[in-house]
Amino acid sequence: MKLNAVLLSATLAATSFMTVNAHADNATRVAAASALGSVAGTALGKNMGGTTGATIGAALGGAGGAAVASNKRHRTESAIGGALGGGAGYTVGQNMGGTNGGYIGAALGAAGGAALGNKISKDKEYDRYQERKWKKKRRR
């Protein structure tokens, strides 16, 4: 029965990726996909390996969700943020509120980490663009 619930939640998460993909802004899409991936990874990891497996699953799910929803240029930073946020969020949430707190913490941590990683990547890209633009003006 638990395996059916995990498979159903993974299917719903995959379906939500496509739905969120069509209607949301990029940062929102990345955060939502990372949160859903982290929750699915947490549930799967908890069934396979207990608390340690849930932490690893939260990190991998958060990274995978963020990578799926990110632009090619911002994929790495978003995945790193989703992984760190998901793993840390699960640990903190589980210590504060048990199993349900762990799921909520994993979702919130992965969403925040992925959105932050995406924003950092966009800011770095903009800074590189401004630097090149300034150098071109300086050469004339």
Side-chain angles (χ1 to χ4, degrees):
M1 186 65 183
K2 286 185 180 183
L3 184 60
N4 289 339
V6 170
L7 291 175
L8 180 63
S9 67
T11 305
L12 288 174
T15 306
S16 297
F17 288 163
M18 303 310 162
T19 305
V20 171
N21 215 354
H23 299 291
D25 181 43
N26 193 20
T28 307
R29 182 178 68 223
V30 170
S34 181
L36 289 171
S38 181
V39 169
T42 302
L44 189 62
K46 189 164 183 65
N47 284 337
M48 293 178 80
T51 305
T52 304
T55 305
I56 294 169
L60 292 177
V68 165
S70 293
N71 189 353
K72 182 169 71 170
R73 294 184 206 127
H74 313 297
R75 190 168 291 151
T76 304
E77 287 87 350
S78 297
I80 291 170
L84 292 174
Y90 174 77
T91 303
V92 170
Q94 197 243 355
N95 285 336
M96 294 179 76
T99 302
N100 289 337
Y103 288 129
I104 293 168
L108 293 177
L116 182 63
N118 195 359
K119 177 69 173 144
I120 289 170
S121 178
K122 286 181 180 179
D123 288 346
K124 283 175 32 181
E125 182 183 8
Y126 178 76
D127 289 344
R128 286 191 300 261
Y129 169 75
Q130 290 297 326
E131 187 176 317
R132 282 189 313 230
K133 186 174 159 183
W134 187 79
K135 284 182 180 178
K136 284 181 182 177
K137 285 182 180 180
R138 210 55 185 145
R139 277 190 247 162
R140 294 181 190 175

